[in-house]
Amino acid sequence: MRVILLLAAAAALLADDKTAMLQKMDSQSPHYGEVSRKIWEFAEVGYKENKSSELLKSELKQAGFAIEAPIGGVPTAFTAAWGQGKPVIAIMGEYDALPGLSQDAVPERRPIVNGGPGHGCGHNLLGTASLFAAVTLKDWMAAHHIKGTLRFYGTPAEEGGGGKLYMARAGAFNGVDVVLSWHPADQNGASMASSLAIISAKFRFYGKAAHAAAAPDAGRSALDGLMIMGQSIEFLREHIPDSTRIHYVITNGGAAPNIVPDYAEMFLYARHPSMPVLDGIWERILKCARAGALASETRMEMELIDSAYNILPNDSLAALVDKNMRLVGGVTYTAWEQSFAETIRKTLPGRGQLGSQEKVEPPREGFTSASTDAGDISWMYPMAALSAATFVPGVPPHSWQSAACAGMSIGRKGMVVAAKGLVLTAMDLFTDPAQVTAAKADFEKRRAGYEYRSRIPADHKPPLNYRDNK
Ligand SMILES: [Zn+2]
């Protein structure tokens, strides 16, 4: 009886703490709005996020975290730790931008730098909300003498560069009990959705240059090899599982029509909801590439760029996040934000429902047709996931519209929702060991004995220049 009363008293205290915490975070949010805006302006692509990672590191260092950098041969990867002992709770933060999505914070297409990079996936908000959560939690832990370790993971190049894989390979996640992740979206709520496993590579063909009119017989076209590979893949599509996605671009197709190209490059992604199934599809894609080289009498080289697992959801963590997101609530627009939202929605007719940003949706299930290197982490440790409405309802990620939202107050309001959701969830995990135990039990049940194995070869170097085309 006495134990029950004590537990009930502790729970009531925590509830008071949470209300006070939400108010405190509101008063501290302007500073983090500025941090997110700076990273939005830096707009640095994967593995080049020098200023962005420096800014996050300096904020964490100032707050008393111990910084470790670089990690796993990646200059812009870092960890920041505070506290000691168990549990070890990790919060992940990303900060890379996307090429070609430079966009001002206005509801019409207006690049700041023509063809330049922009934060079309809102990772400026992602990294900053995680920073906001980490610093807030550290203050709370210090004030209440909470036992445990808080770790922030600065994870570069999420957009196709796989930064988390190299951090995990270097052992940076060792000892973690639960990982908290979130992603900008056009809605709020816990996520139990999986994602698509991905393998990506650059296929380079080397031929023999010749005058295309005067001596074509002397040349061997690298572009021919690439196109035969592409054509083989088009035939392959009929004979692979329905849920497969294969897409590619030609990043180099030769210099001029009157020169037989001696070099051509294709950048290709393949995806499927299951990594073991994708392994088999990948073997067949390699055959298409070899066929291209064989038929065109050119040489083919492949450089593996990225490989990420589908996300392994966690039921008990999703329930915990859902409970806390209901305390946090959604995003309310001012009249000006409402008119910004209406203007931007005219460019995307028929998508989403304006007003839904105010609600917290039930945990999302199924899978999203995207991929993330957070997938690998979710197969190594129990991982919680949440979304916040940083984008106007109906605005998809990787668009100029999402880049615009990420640079203004709508994006910042969603970012605060995410930070609050992370903080309240971590408070439960630090004070209630049963929640950590339940998360681990769900993790074991979901993976059902499957042993995670990174698809990146042990000696593979991080593709630090994967955004450059040769
Ligand atoms: Zn993203």
Side-chain angles (χ1 to χ4, degrees):
M1 187 64 177
R2 211 177 137 190
V3 173
I4 291 168
L5 280 177
L6 276 175
L7 279 177
L13 263 180
L14 188 62
D16 287 350
D17 262 17
K18 283 185 174 177
T19 311
M21 181 62 88
L22 294 179
Q23 285 165 359
K24 188 180 158 204
M25 289 183 77
D26 280 329
S27 71
Q28 290 175 341
S29 61
H31 171 70
Y32 294 98
E34 283 164 29
V35 172
S36 77
R37 172 72 194 201
K38 280 184 194 155
I39 297 177
W40 183 85
E41 285 171 12
F42 295 154
E44 297 168 300
V45 295
Y47 292 129
K48 311 286 182 194
E49 317 96 326
N50 296 304
K51 289 186 235 167
S52 308
S53 64
E54 281 308 320
L55 177 57
L56 292 171
K57 273 190 276 186
S58 77
E59 289 279 327
L60 286 154
K61 198 172 169 196
Q62 232 171 356
F65 283 77
I67 310 287
E68 214 173 294
I71 311 270
V74 179
T76 54
F78 69 94
T79 59
W82 191 88
Q84 47 191 319
K86 289 279 192 179
V88 180
I89 308 297
I91 302 178
M92 296 196 290
E94 300 162 6
Y95 31 83
D96 57 324
L98 282 158
L101 280 179
S102 173
Q103 167 67 32
D104 206 348
V106 292
E108 60 183 40
R109 181 69 171 125
R110 195 190 297 163
I112 298 172
V113 179
N114 263 328
H119 271 290
C121 207
H123 291 186
N124 62 310
L125 306 169
L126 206 170
T128 310
S130 298
L131 162 77
F132 189 7
V135 174
T136 308
L137 280 163
K138 176 243 139 187
D139 289 345
W140 169 77
M141 291 171 79
H144 294 80
H145 309 288
I146 304 290
K147 215 178 74 123
T149 306
L150 179 61
R151 288 196 202 153
F152 179 100
Y153 285 82
T155 67
E158 188 275 338
E159 297 290 356
K164 294 180 189 70
L165 304 177
Y166 302 98
M167 296 181 76
R169 186 171 77 183
F173 284 88
N174 291 355
V176 164
D177 290 301
V178 173
V179 180
L180 304 182
S181 73
W182 84 280
H183 203 282
D186 68 345
Q187 58 158 46
N188 308 294
S191 177
M192 261 188 20
S194 188
S195 57
L196 296 176
I198 186 172
I199 302 178
S200 78
K202 289 187 177 178
F203 292 88
R204 301 190 176 106
F205 290 84
Y206 298 88
K208 226 160 86 189
H211 193 292
D217 53 308
R220 294 291 180 271
S221 169
L223 181 62
D224 288 357
L226 182 150
M227 287 177 74
I228 293 166
M229 174 189 175
Q231 197 62 20
S232 309
I233 286 169
E234 299 317 319
F235 287 123
L236 179 71
R237 285 189 202 277
E238 189 184 346
H239 310 289
I240 50 179
D242 275 349
S243 38
T244 311
R245 294 281 182 277
I246 303 175
H247 24 255
Y248 54 86
V249 290
I250 298 174
T251 43
N252 191 322
N258 60 354
I259 306 167
V260 172
D262 64 351
Y263 178 71
E265 185 190 75
M266 176 192 282
F267 192 4
L268 176 141
Y269 286 15
R271 318 195 205 210
H272 187 274
S274 151
M275 184 57 101
V277 175
L278 183 57
D279 286 336
I281 296 164
W282 190 253
E283 283 306 314
R284 296 170 70 189
I285 288 171
L286 294 183
K287 286 179 187 165
C288 296
R290 287 186 209 115
L294 182 67
S296 62
E297 298 183 358
T298 57
R299 185 169 58 82
M300 185 274 297
E301 270 176 14
M302 184 199 77
E303 185 195 358
L304 187 69
I305 299 294
D306 194 15
S307 148
Y309 271 66
N310 53 309
I311 283 177
L312 186 70
N314 190 291
D315 307 69
S316 77
L317 286 172
L320 188 65
V321 170
D322 179 57
K323 186 189 85 179
N324 284 310
M325 285 297 279
R326 280 168 205 292
L327 297 176
V328 173
V331 173
T332 320
Y333 293 164
T334 61
W336 178 78
E337 287 162 350
Q338 181 74 20
S339 84
F340 182 101
E342 279 163 12
T343 310
I344 217 163
R345 281 175 56 83
K346 286 192 192 122
T347 66
L348 292 157
R351 291 178 58 100
Q353 191 88 46
L354 203 53
S356 61
Q357 76 280 359
E358 294 180 7
K359 290 188 280 189
V360 173
E361 308 289 344
R364 203 157 29 113
E365 298 198 40
F367 69 88
T368 57
S369 294
S371 307
T372 169
D373 56 6
D376 282 54
I377 306 304
S378 74
W379 283 89
M380 302 170 82
Y381 306 96
M383 189 179 87
L386 67 87
S387 311
T390 56
F391 308 144
V392 167
V395 166
H398 295 208
S399 60
W400 67 259
Q401 291 92 340
S402 55
C405 296
M408 48 83 73
S409 58
I410 288 177
R412 295 204 273 276
K413 283 183 173 176
M415 177 185 87
V416 174
V417 165
K420 287 174 173 175
L422 295 171
V423 165
L424 299 196
T425 303
M427 286 169 80
D428 285 325
L429 292 165
F430 275 118
T431 52
D432 184 1
Q435 293 288 357
V436 176
T437 309
K440 287 184 176 176
D442 273 337
F443 171 73
E444 292 302 340
K445 197 172 127 204
R446 282 261 187 178
R447 73 175 179 143
Y450 180 84
E451 281 299 329
Y452 164 80
R453 178 177 59 80
S454 171
R455 293 316 192 250
I456 299 287
D459 56 353
H460 191 67
K461 288 206 173 60
L464 299 180
N465 298 313
Y466 78 110
R467 286 297 186 199
D468 307 343
N469 294 321
K470 274 195 226 165

